[in-house]
Each structure stands twice: as C-alpha cells, then as structure tokens.
Amino acid sequence: MAPNNDIFNPNENLNIPSWITEDYFRDIVAKDVPDMVAIKKFTPTAATRPGENFTSVMIRLHFDLEMKDGSILYKTYIFKTMLESDKGGDMVNQLSLFPKEMEMYSKYLPAFESLYKAAGWEIQLAPKCLLTERKENRINFLFEDLSQKNFKNLERLKGCDMDHMEHVMRKLAEFHAASAVYEEQNGTYPDDFQFGFINVKQSNEMAKLFFDVGTTSYKKAMAQWGLENAEEYIKKFPTFDQYWKCASACINTSSNSFNVLNHGDFWSSNIMFSYLANGCVNETLLVDFQICKWGSPAEDLLFFLTLSPAADIRLKQYDNFIAMYHKRLVECLKVLGYKKPIPTLRSLHQDMYNKNSSFYAFFACTNHLPIILLPSDKDSSMHNFSRNDEVGEQLRMRTYTNPTFIEVIKDVYTFYVQRGLFNFEDYD
C-alpha cells in the first residue's frame, strides 16, 4: 500500500502515552514485514471515536516502511493498552480484564479455531494477534488492522439489519460451540472466567458507588420518557441489594445445563464486518475478549439482542434471532463431536427467562444502551459517567434523556418488564 499523507484521527482528545514511539515497535514490525529496511514515518492516532471504548486505550499505528526494493509500504496496526488508574483503570484491573484477554488471544482463540480446522472447517473467530506482552505493570496487545482488509464496524446508532443479524448469530454460535467442546475436552476454565462485568467475590463498595450515582440520574430520566406506568417502573427499580443479588445470580451456573464461554461484552462495536461488492456481509470477526465468562449462552444473547439489532427489528424478530443462533449452534456442536446433550431450542428459551441470566438484560438497558445511542461526545468516558458532581450529572442526564435512546428504551424496558425479567423482588 502506498504512503498515506492524509491520516484521519477519530478522537483528537485522546491522550496518547509518550512511550508509544516507533522504537517500541521496530522489532515487531520488522518481524511482520521481513522485507522492511527502515521506518520512514510513524504516526499514532486514536483507533475509535469517543463513546466506543471504555475499558482500554485503542490506538491505530500508521507506518510508512521503506522496503528492500526502494518502495514505501504504508501499513497500520491496532495497539491496545491499559487505562491510567485515575481514568477508570482501577475498576478495569479489579475485573482482571487484561489478563483474561491475554489468555484468550494466546491460548483459547487459537485452540477454538484449531478445533474447527481438525473437523475440516476453516473458521476464523478473531483478528490475528501479533503481540501479547506484560511490560512495566501493563498488558499490551498488537493486532492486525482489519481495516486494511476492508473490515469495518457497523454504525452503532443504526444497529444491525437482518443480513448483519444472521451473520452475527452464526458467528456467536461458532464461538460458543467451540468453547463448550474445548471445556468438555480440557476441563474448566480458570477462576477469572467465572465472572464478567462484576466480580461478586470482591468488595461491592465501588459497584455500589457507581450504582447509586447512576441510579439517581436514571430514575430522574425515566420520569421524562413518557411511559404510561412511569411511577410504577420507578418504584420497582431495583435497590442496590436486589441489583447485587441479580448480578451474583449469573455466576450460579448449573453443571447439568448447557454452558459456554460467553464473549461477555457482545455488541456491534466488538464485531467487524467485510462486505461483498453488492453490499451484503461477507465475513464477520469478533474483537475485545476482556469480559469473557463461563455461563449460559443466554447471557450473550440477552446482551446483544438488547443493544444491537436495528430499531425496527429489535423486538419484532427477537425470537427469530434466537432460532437463528440455535440452528447454527447445533450444526457446530455436531461437527465438533460434542458428546453431552445438545441444547434444544426450548431449553435455550428457558435460559433466556432464567433469573440467573437477567442481569445481562438489565445491565444492557441501564449501562450500555444509553451510551451506544449517544452520538460521539468528547466527554463520554467511564471516568466522567461515574463522577459524582455536576459534570457527571450533566453527562448522565444528557445520555439518559437523549431522544434516540428514549425512543428505544420505552419499548425495550417494557418488553422485559412484561416478560418478568425485571421483577427484582424475585431476588429477595
């Protein structure tokens, strides 16, 4: 690829650490591009827009590489590193997000893809990871830049249409099936993979602070949504004790049920798509494996179906999406030689209603959905959302009363209330 003199930075406000220099990456790039002679130009920029990543620093590294034949090769990579402690890093570190992702890319994802290869299927689940390292109290990753293979994210404000949904449901089933077969053959995953967004084995003090600050704003906003039974919904909004019990329930996995390694943070910005000439989806790959958790596949399904389908099909096709997923899951489990009972569509629906999974619907509605539907905002960050001051309150209220969010949440919240998933008295 020719030199690029027109580099776009999607987030000019991102503070790129000073230690990210061309010298840091010289040997890695030379190994990936053996015919490289020298780095002629190096430019780091943000890799994502504000509001699309909250648990890490994502940087696109732009290189102009002088080659042995005298030509210049333009090449980019994605570099992922940890947040500073005072910018949300402390919360991220409590959940072991980076150590888990390091295991995913160095051990489990290659193993899952090998299972399919041994069965005669060529299935890629994630981008190529060129580097995983622990250095100076940090964990860092270097990935191939999928944009150079014409992969891109879907516009998060629009959501997935039926074509995208069919491909996503298939890819999720492929990932889940391989994780279940791997566990059957190799035993349980490490302890870190028994929890996701909340580690109920640790103190709930930080979670309570975050919940209390956010809940005050959320309930204030609910009164402005135009719900017919707004007062009743606000009254039945969970207390922190109910919320914590709901979150704790999702670690109660039954050995007699069908379980998988959930992606854990499964929504449109963690999925990359490539397209055919006619605009239809060609390939689908998953990214960001920091919150993977062993449990019912209902967890990923509830989360994604709440957050990422397009508004006109989100609820209308809800059960159809589950059927799409189940069909591909059964195909994959059979080809991989899964020996335990294959889950039925009936049992999958039962898991979607099980109170051990409901946290993922509620957390999606209160934490992710309002942020996903907020247009890019330079102030949108984990740190600012949790601030217990006027700056934090203004950001939260701007997010929770965003007309685009209100249009969606009115139907989605009611949908889960009517299905009984938001009956938090069940946890008393």
Side-chain angles (χ1 to χ4, degrees):
M1 190 178 292
N4 187 354
N5 296 314
D6 186 22
I7 295 174
F8 170 67
N9 187 352
N11 184 2
E12 296 283 356
N13 295 291
L14 179 68
N15 182 25
I16 296 177
S18 60
W19 53 269
I20 294 180
T21 65
E22 66 179 76
D23 286 339
Y24 192 95
F25 300 100
R26 190 180 305 277
D27 291 343
I28 305 167
V29 175
K31 183 178 179 181
D32 186 49
V33 187
D35 289 340
M36 180 193 92
V37 174
I39 298 174
K40 302 299 290 183
K41 184 179 179 182
F42 170 71
T43 307
T45 67
T48 59
R49 291 177 295 179
E52 295 187 357
N53 186 278
F54 285 86
T55 60
S56 61
V57 178
M58 299 289 291
I59 300 169
R60 177 168 277 111
L61 307 176
H62 304 258
F63 292 92
D64 282 355
L65 306 175
E66 181 181 353
M67 307 300 286
K68 289 180 180 178
D69 63 4
S71 64
I72 299 296
L73 173 68
Y74 171 66
K75 192 166 179 63
T76 58
Y77 300 90
I78 300 297
F79 186 68
K80 184 173 187 175
T81 189
M82 303 171 81
L83 295 169
E84 298 296 334
S85 296
D86 61 348
K87 299 299 182 182
D90 283 343
M91 183 179 297
V92 170
N93 293 340
Q94 277 195 9
L95 297 176
S96 300
L97 303 192
F98 274 78
K100 278 206 284 191
E101 188 161 37
M102 193 171 191
E103 283 201 77
M104 288 302 299
Y105 277 105
S106 62
K107 181 178 180 179
Y108 295 120
L109 287 167
F112 297 169
E113 291 176 356
S114 293
L115 286 172
Y116 282 112
K117 190 171 184 178
W121 284 11
E122 290 292 334
I123 290 182
Q124 184 178 355
L125 298 171
K128 180 182 177 182
C129 183
L130 303 172
L131 170 73
T132 59
E133 67 171 4
R134 290 180 183 265
K135 194 168 186 179
E136 298 178 357
N137 297 320
R138 288 180 176 271
I139 293 177
N140 304 318
F141 303 91
L142 187 70
F143 302 105
E144 65 173 328
D145 186 356
L146 290 174
S147 69
Q148 292 200 322
K149 294 182 176 180
N150 296 318
F151 278 83
K152 59 183 179 181
N153 285 120
L154 192 69
E155 171 55 55
R156 61 184 166 89
L157 295 176
K158 294 181 180 179
C160 297
D161 60 18
M162 285 301 293
D163 184 31
H164 287 86
M165 286 301 301
E166 288 178 11
H167 281 81
V168 171
M169 291 295 96
R170 286 175 62 87
K171 186 59 64 174
L172 181 63
E174 290 164 4
F175 173 67
H176 281 175
S179 74
V181 172
Y182 182 91
E183 190 268 351
E184 182 181 54
Q185 295 178 358
N186 298 278
T188 58
Y189 293 92
D191 288 345
D192 282 351
F193 290 88
Q194 306 308 313
F195 59 86
F197 285 111
I198 292 178
N199 185 354
V200 296
K201 295 182 179 180
Q202 295 181 353
S203 168
N204 63 14
E205 182 178 349
M206 185 177 293
K208 187 176 189 308
L209 288 172
F210 194 84
F211 177 85
D212 288 344
V213 169
T215 294
T216 300
S217 306
Y218 200 88
K219 291 197 290 188
K220 187 190 303 183
M222 287 179 82
Q224 303 176 39
W225 291 351
L227 289 166
E228 290 186 9
N229 302 308
E231 292 183 1
E232 189 69 15
Y233 284 6
I234 294 170
K235 180 182 177 181
K236 290 189 174 182
F237 199 87
T239 64
F240 177 74
D241 184 56
Q242 291 171 331
Y243 169 81
W244 192 252
K245 289 177 179 177
C246 178
S248 302
C250 68
I251 68 169
N252 297 325
T253 55
S254 170
S255 59
N256 295 323
S257 300
F258 176 72
N259 293 305
V260 300
L261 191 63
N262 285 278
H263 179 280
D265 193 16
F266 197 60
W267 63 288
S268 60
S269 283
N270 287 332
I271 306 166
M272 303 289 287
F273 302 96
S274 69
Y275 297 88
L276 300 169
N278 63 4
C280 294
V281 176
N282 181 30
E283 294 183 75
T284 308
L285 293 175
L286 312 182
V287 300
D288 199 349
F289 294 87
Q290 292 187 325
I291 309 183
C292 294
K293 176 193 170 293
W294 183 250
S296 168
E299 296 174 7
D300 270 347
L301 287 168
L302 283 167
F303 200 69
F304 186 80
L305 297 184
T306 303
L307 298 176
S308 293
D312 61 330
I313 58 174
R314 180 184 269 106
L315 301 183
K316 184 178 180 180
Q317 297 289 339
Y318 192 93
D319 291 337
N320 185 25
F321 297 143
I322 300 170
M324 290 178 188
Y325 164 86
H326 179 260
K327 180 181 179 181
R328 184 58 172 169
L329 179 72
V330 171
E331 292 172 352
C332 293
L333 290 173
K334 286 181 177 178
V335 80
L336 294 177
Y338 189 64
K339 294 181 174 57
K340 297 178 183 178
I342 291 179
T344 63
L345 182 57
R346 182 193 300 270
S347 67
L348 186 57
H349 276 285
Q350 289 171 335
D351 278 355
M352 300 285 285
Y353 282 95
N354 193 302
K355 72 176 189 177
N356 289 353
S357 304
S358 293
F359 171 78
Y360 282 84
F362 181 74
F363 195 66
C365 285
T366 55
N367 190 76
H368 280 60
L369 189 60
I371 297 171
I372 288 171
L373 296 179
L374 181 71
S376 291
D377 188 317
K378 65 180 178 62
D379 297 322
S380 183
S381 69
M382 181 187 296
H383 174 68
N384 285 338
F385 267 103
S386 60
R387 288 177 60 162
N388 190 14
D389 58 16
E390 188 61 28
V391 172
E393 176 66 6
Q394 289 180 1
L395 176 60
R396 288 188 294 273
M397 289 305 295
R398 187 162 72 248
T399 303
Y400 299 148
T401 59
N402 167 24
T404 304
F405 171 63
I406 292 176
E407 184 179 355
V408 173
I409 192 61
K410 284 172 60 178
D411 291 336
V412 172
Y413 204 96
T414 300
F415 177 78
Y416 285 131
V417 167
Q418 292 176 346
R419 288 194 167 203
L421 270 68
F422 287 179
N423 183 4
F424 295 98
E425 294 175 356
D426 292 348
Y427 299 95
D428 290 338

